[in-house]
Amino acid sequence: MQINQLLTQDCTLSAVSCSSKKKALEIISELAADKLSIDAKLVFENLLTRERLGTTGVGCGIAIPHARISDDYPVTGIFIQCESPIDYSAIDNQPVDLLFAVLVPESQCSEHLKTLSLIAGKLSDKQVCRQLRAAKTDAELFDVICTS
């Protein structure tokens, strides 16, 4: 799977104004709701439930929030670049400014792990992260994450 198979430009936002982890997850949930015609509150609760198990802030200013959704929906990615870093309780205690959320159908456990691995691999590249942080538009952010 490639990033552009789970992420679309309309689910990629740059310079998002958010002040907290909760607000970032709400924004992600709203984008998912618009994209999938799914209840934003349900997505938000699923993301929060996963966060309660342990932070998805993986360090270096990156978080990969993820949750399972009904099998009625496809694997879906949502990527936001925060205007300013937010406290996310990341494993390195550093604030987060890049969040790549993944929603995966309940029955696709192995796909879930492969997708998380793909995103983690992409975001572990320091050059890619520099380009993502320098992106000024949604289109530029989408292009960097999908082609770098």
Side-chain angles (χ1 to χ4, degrees):
M1 176 179 283
Q2 300 295 318
I3 297 282
N4 62 0
Q5 292 175 290
L6 63 114
L7 181 69
T8 57
Q9 191 166 335
D10 60 330
C11 287
T12 307
L13 294 180
S14 67
V16 174
S17 178
C18 60
S19 55
S20 67
K21 177 181 190 174
K22 180 181 178 210
K23 183 62 178 171
L25 295 176
E26 286 173 347
I27 291 166
I28 288 166
S29 299
E30 290 165 13
L31 284 168
D34 290 345
K35 176 73 176 176
L36 300 172
S37 297
I38 191 172
D39 181 27
K41 193 176 277 190
L42 175 67
V43 174
F44 179 71
E45 286 302 320
N46 287 351
L47 289 168
L48 276 182
T49 296
R50 171 54 190 87
E51 286 298 322
R52 287 184 193 112
L53 297 175
T55 185
T56 58
V58 297
C60 300
I62 298 163
I64 308 175
H66 51 280
R68 296 187 191 270
I69 55 174
S70 166
D71 284 335
D72 298 331
Y73 303 100
V75 176
T76 303
I78 294 137
F79 185 55
I80 65 172
Q81 169 210 61
C82 297
E83 187 175 59
S84 300
I86 58 171
D87 178 24
Y88 200 89
S89 302
I91 59 171
D92 63 356
N93 294 316
Q94 296 301 307
V96 165
D97 62 343
L98 299 174
L99 293 93
F100 197 128
V102 184
L103 304 174
V104 180
E106 292 171 351
S107 67
Q108 295 185 21
C109 184
S110 65
E111 191 65 31
H112 189 139
L113 297 174
K114 288 177 192 171
T115 304
L116 292 175
S117 177
L118 170 72
I119 294 163
K122 175 75 79 165
L123 295 175
S124 69
D125 184 323
K126 290 182 184 354
Q127 176 69 18
V128 170
C129 288
R130 275 193 292 277
Q131 291 174 329
L132 292 169
R133 290 183 170 108
K136 301 294 183 210
T137 66
D138 299 349
E140 186 181 355
L141 190 65
F142 179 74
D143 186 52
V144 171
I145 194 69
C146 288
T147 60
S148 293

